[in-house]
Amino acid sequence: MNEAPRIIEFPEIGNSILGYIAVAENNNLPFEVKRIYWTYFTPEHVERGGHAHRKLEQVLVAVAGTIRIKLEMNDGQRSEFILSKPDHGLYIPRMVWRTIKYSHNAVQLCIASTEYAEQDYIRDYETFMKTA
Ligand code: TYD
């Protein structure tokens, strides 16, 4: 069975007087990092996502603001996560349908296991539900 989405707590260095550093590296991530990109200035009324990935695995981090992520696996299991701590990441395995909304100030870091490939996307929900 496909692995379930889960929160990863990254090691945090620092204190409230100095501020903090959070660290993601290959030895505390569920996959080898191939690529990093970030999403920002998404208007609050916009829902992004609406797709799954055949191979791509991701860890999403709200480095600023709040991100609400609704997930569905194609066995029907659903989950919802609210990311608002910069030292927390959400691991999304392959074959998970996601819809995402952002607070006005949200900056979402995406740590990705593969390069961008449009062929890896499943953008049709019915196709997703039928794909083994
Ligand atoms: P998409 O992954 O669908 O965005 P989200 O899940 O955040 O709603 O990407 C939006 C558009 O950007 C889509 O047309 C594909 C394109 N895109 C790239 O060209 N390169 C990239 O690295 C990514 C992630 C997306």
Side-chain angles (χ1 to χ4, degrees):
M1 209 177 76
N2 203 359
E3 217 178 316
R6 63 184 155 85
I7 294 290
I8 295 173
E9 288 187 35
F10 293 109
E12 202 180 40
I13 301 156
N15 56 56
S16 61
I17 296 162
L18 275 176
Y20 297 92
I21 299 171
V23 182
E25 52 192 338
N26 280 327
N27 67 17
N28 64 14
L29 289 167
F31 51 78
E32 184 124 340
V33 179
K34 190 75 180 179
R35 190 157 183 271
I36 296 175
Y37 59 90
W38 45 101
T39 305
Y40 49 94
F41 298 164
T42 303
E44 291 201 346
H45 66 273
V46 170
E47 186 176 79
R48 296 187 64 131
H51 53 81
H53 292 269
R54 295 173 201 278
K55 290 209 178 110
L56 176 70
E57 299 169 69
Q58 295 165 302
V59 171
L60 305 183
V61 181
V63 290
T66 302
I67 306 176
R68 182 184 293 265
I69 303 157
K70 291 185 182 173
L71 300 177
E72 186 172 358
M73 296 166 76
N74 69 358
D75 63 3
Q77 277 189 73
R78 291 176 190 215
S79 50
E80 185 170 342
F81 294 88
I82 295 173
L83 289 177
S84 59
K85 294 182 177 170
D87 63 325
H88 281 189
L90 174 63
Y91 171 55
I92 307 183
R94 59 182 290 276
M95 289 301 288
V96 178
W97 189 267
R98 82 287 311 274
T99 51
I100 311 180
K101 292 197 80 169
Y102 300 87
S103 67
H104 68 281
N105 61 338
V107 180
Q108 172 187 266
L109 187 71
C110 177
I111 304 168
S113 68
T114 66
E115 278 161 6
Y116 169 73
E118 189 55 41
Q119 320 85 275
D120 186 63
Y121 282 74
I122 303 176
R123 293 191 182 274
D124 176 65
Y125 184 75
E126 300 305 317
T127 307
F128 165 69
M129 290 307 273
K130 283 189 217 142
T131 306

